[in-house]
């Protein structure tokens, strides 16, 4: 319409020369008119006649220009209709282009049918999506922003980091060394991080020397990285030197031993999940004293959180939040990634310093350069990878093709799950969803953000980015929130090349981008990345690093009313759900200290 007005100024009513002249008369015109009316009112006959002439001229002008007015109104309606039609065609062609790209990726012929379902991008809540789209369009040019950009409760800022405070005594741990503990941790970056800090606590418990942890190679992660490729070894050892003896290698006389033959090899089958300290004293201490070494193989979540002596809890926190620093290569690229997301060199807060080290942006100005785009961003960890989707046994609107596709994946990758299902009564996908056991789809995640009041222009960083169904499955999300970026879209191929074959190092970049975000949104509270990042933000965020945690069971109940619920009702219920998850609570008994560090062993609460 702007373009049309520029091209046709002479045809607009406001451009009529006579109208322009009437407007330009200014005060002189109105003064003379006042004098004229005063004179006419003294002579009622002349006044009524003059009034009739004026009204007649006005009606004559309207009759004269009625066709022009009708033409302009019709033309404006026609232009709006054409604009709407062109946008619809553009969206359809854009969507078809995405599908064409996906179909040209060289899928095997036998896999193509199973993939068709994903190409159609099934929409489960079309009515709510339409409502969300309309609301976001209305809010786009309004000044107010979502209140969820900040922590809603002031009590959050009362908790301060303090697990690195030195204790006056080491409890005699160096008087006698009971042997060496070696661990080979499985899993990815975040599982290994938990294993490292659990191993530090076990070494302290058993009065043993810890050898720098090793990482097992996994056919899933396919990453040969070792401790020194991800974390700074010397910094780790020096930070914990007052609590635990740590060495880089086993002594030569122990390194060549057959641990399994000696009975010093301890697998996850030998130690219960979330074992208690007494379990280690009973089953691990004897072979440690006998052979001088034990080797933990796997060590996935093999130390519980309660009951545990406070000094060991404190040591775990110090390990996780202070001792584990990423190597300079990761810090440098992480700093580059964060600067490009923010479109600014401004350093934010303590989180930047802790994660980026010497590569914190030098410019500490808080002024926002609006010409360079938005500086605030939301990081989203969307757990919708194919393994997560298949293992859940849920359905996601894709019909029979989707069912066959996921069943084939389960048979290949989860044979134990298939065997278990044969010997148990199945739970229907509908009931699984009602129980909150289904991963959130990109569509559901977008609806939650819209319900929380985040505008269409919100800048969003997507962690992981290996979404089941690819771009077509993401289409309902990007149709509402088009400003979506990943590390692959922000960093060049040359900048990513050093991390190309190292999934754990790539995950470290996601860890940094999520932890330093203004807002962090998670879709699965059981994810290790989500748990560790949210704990890191709690510990170093100073009460200004909100995390959004949807309750999947409550959300499923809300979304089940898709066909009837109004948008205002949807907004209210989603906001209440998120606010409930943001309440400031001390860590509960048995809860992860890495995810919920608000406890006396990790953080200090200031009186207010």
């Amino acid at each position: 319409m702007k373009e049309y007005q520029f091209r046709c100024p002479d045809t607009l009513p406001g451009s009529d020369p006579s109208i322009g002249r009437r407007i330009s008369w200014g005060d002189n015109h109105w003064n003379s008119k006042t004098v004229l009316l005063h004179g006419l009112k003294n002579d009622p006959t002349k006044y009524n006649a003059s009034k009739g002439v004026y009204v007649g001229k006005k009606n004559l002008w309207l009759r004269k220009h009625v066709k022009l007015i009708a033409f302009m109104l019709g033309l404006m309606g026609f232009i709006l209709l054409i604009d709407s039609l062109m946008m619809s065609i553009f969206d359809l062609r854009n969507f078809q282009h995405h599908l064409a790209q996906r179909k040209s990726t060289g899928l095997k012929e036998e896999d193509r049918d199973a993939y068709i379902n994903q190409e159609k991008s099934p929409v489960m809540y079309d009515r709510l999506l339409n409502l969300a789209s309309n609301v976001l369009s209305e809010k786009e040019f309004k000044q107010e922003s979502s209140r969820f950009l900040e922590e809603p409760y002031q009590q959050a800022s009362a908790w301060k980091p303090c697990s690195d405070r030195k204790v006056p005594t080491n409890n005699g741990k160096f008087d006698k060394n009971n042997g060496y503990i070696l661990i080979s941790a499985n899993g990815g970056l975040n599982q290994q991080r938990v294993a490292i800090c659990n191993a530090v606590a076990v070494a302290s418990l058993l009065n043993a020397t810890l050898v720098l942890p090793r990482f097992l190679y996994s056919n899933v992660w396919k990453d040969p990285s070792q401790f020194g490729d991800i974390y700074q070894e010397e910094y780790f050892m020096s930070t914990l030197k007052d609590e635990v003896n740590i060495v880089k290698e086993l002594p030569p006389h122990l390194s060549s031993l057959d641990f399994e033959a000696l009975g010093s090899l301890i697998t996850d089958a030998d130690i219960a999940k979330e074992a208690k300290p007494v379990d280690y004293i009973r089953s691990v201490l004897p072979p440690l004293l006998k052979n001088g070494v034990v080797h933990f193989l796997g060590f996935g979540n093999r130390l519980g959180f309660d009951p545990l002596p406070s000094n060991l809890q404190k040591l775990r926190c110090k390990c996780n939040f202070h001792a584990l620093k990423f190597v300079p290569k990761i810090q440098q690229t992480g700093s580059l990634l964060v600067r490009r997301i923010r479109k600014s060199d401004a350093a934010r807060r303590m989180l930047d310093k802790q994660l980026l080290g010497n590569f914190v942006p030098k410019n500490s100005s808080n002024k926002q350069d609006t010409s360079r785009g938005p500086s605030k961003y939301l990081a989203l960890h969307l757990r919708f990878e194919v393994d997560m989707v298949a293992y859940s046994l849920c359905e996601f609107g894709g019909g029979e093709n989707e069912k066959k596709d996921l069943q084939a994946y389960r048979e290949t990758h989860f044979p134990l799950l298939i065997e278990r299902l044969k010997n148990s009564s199945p739970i229907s996908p509908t009931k699984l969803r009602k129980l909150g056991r289904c991963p959130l789809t990109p569509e559901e995640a977008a609806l939650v953000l819209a319900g929380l009041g985040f505008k269409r222009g919100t800048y969003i960083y997507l962690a992981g980015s290996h979404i089941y169904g690819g771009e077509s499955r993401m289409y309902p999300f990007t149709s509402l929130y088009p400003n979506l970026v990943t590390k692959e879209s922000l960093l060049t191929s040359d900048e990513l090349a050093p991390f190309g074959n190292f999934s754990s190092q790539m995950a470290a970049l996601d860890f940094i981008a999520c932890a330093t975000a203004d807002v962090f949104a998670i879709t699965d509270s059981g994810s290790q990345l989500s748990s560790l990042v949210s704990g890191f933000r709690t510990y170093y965020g100073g009460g200004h690093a909100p995390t959004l945690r949807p309750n999947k069971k409550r959300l499923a109940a809300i979304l089940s009313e898709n066909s009837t619920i109004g948008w205002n009702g949807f907004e209210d219920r989603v906001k209440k759900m998120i606010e409930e998850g943001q309440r400031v609570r001390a860590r509960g008994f048995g809860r992860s200290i890495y995810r919920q560090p608000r406890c006396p062993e990790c953080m200090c609460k200031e009186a207010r």
Side-chain angles (χ1 to χ4, degrees), residues 129-242:
L129 277 178
N130 289 331
L131 290 176
S133 181
N134 292 335
V135 170
L136 291 181
S137 297
E138 293 174 3
K139 290 182 177 180
E140 186 63 23
F141 300 104
K142 293 183 179 179
Q143 293 298 320
E144 68 268 14
S145 58
S146 173
R147 70 173 187 264
F148 291 91
L149 284 167
E150 297 291 340
E151 288 271 12
Y153 301 104
Q154 293 184 354
Q155 304 97 304
S157 60
W159 291 87
K160 305 294 182 183
C162 64
S163 64
D164 60 335
R165 292 182 182 178
K166 292 185 178 181
V167 292
T169 176
N170 60 22
N171 296 325
K173 284 183 168 48
F174 300 134
D175 294 342
K176 181 182 178 182
N177 180 30
N178 289 330
Y180 292 85
I181 288 180
L182 177 67
I183 73 161
S184 295
N186 59 12
L189 173 78
N190 302 292
Q191 293 90 333
Q192 291 165 353
R193 188 182 185 102
V194 171
I196 292 168
C197 295
N198 286 347
V200 168
V202 169
S204 177
L205 172 69
L206 301 179
N207 201 16
T209 295
L210 178 67
V211 180
L212 274 181
R214 299 173 183 175
F215 300 151
L216 292 174
Y217 181 84
S218 167
N219 289 328
V220 175
W221 301 105
K222 298 180 180 179
D223 186 350
S225 297
Q226 290 302 317
F227 189 98
D229 299 314
I230 299 174
Y231 302 109
Q232 299 177 33
E233 293 180 346
E234 297 297 336
Y235 187 89
F236 176 76
M237 296 168 67
S238 64
T239 301
L240 300 174
K241 62 183 175 58
D242 292 332

Side-chain angles (χ1 to χ4, degrees), residues 223-273:
D223 186 350
S225 297
Q226 290 302 317
F227 189 98
D229 299 314
I230 299 174
Y231 302 109
Q232 299 177 33
E233 293 180 346
E234 297 297 336
Y235 187 89
F236 176 76
M237 296 168 67
S238 64
T239 301
L240 300 174
K241 62 183 175 58
D242 292 332
E243 289 87 6
V244 182
N245 284 329
I246 304 176
V247 296
K248 291 186 178 181
E249 299 287 346
L250 278 173
H253 70 282
L254 295 176
S255 59
S256 59
L257 294 178
D258 185 338
F259 300 129
E260 187 174 9
L262 290 172
S264 284
L265 181 65
I266 300 174
T267 68
D268 284 354
D270 301 316
I271 292 287
K273 189 175 182 181

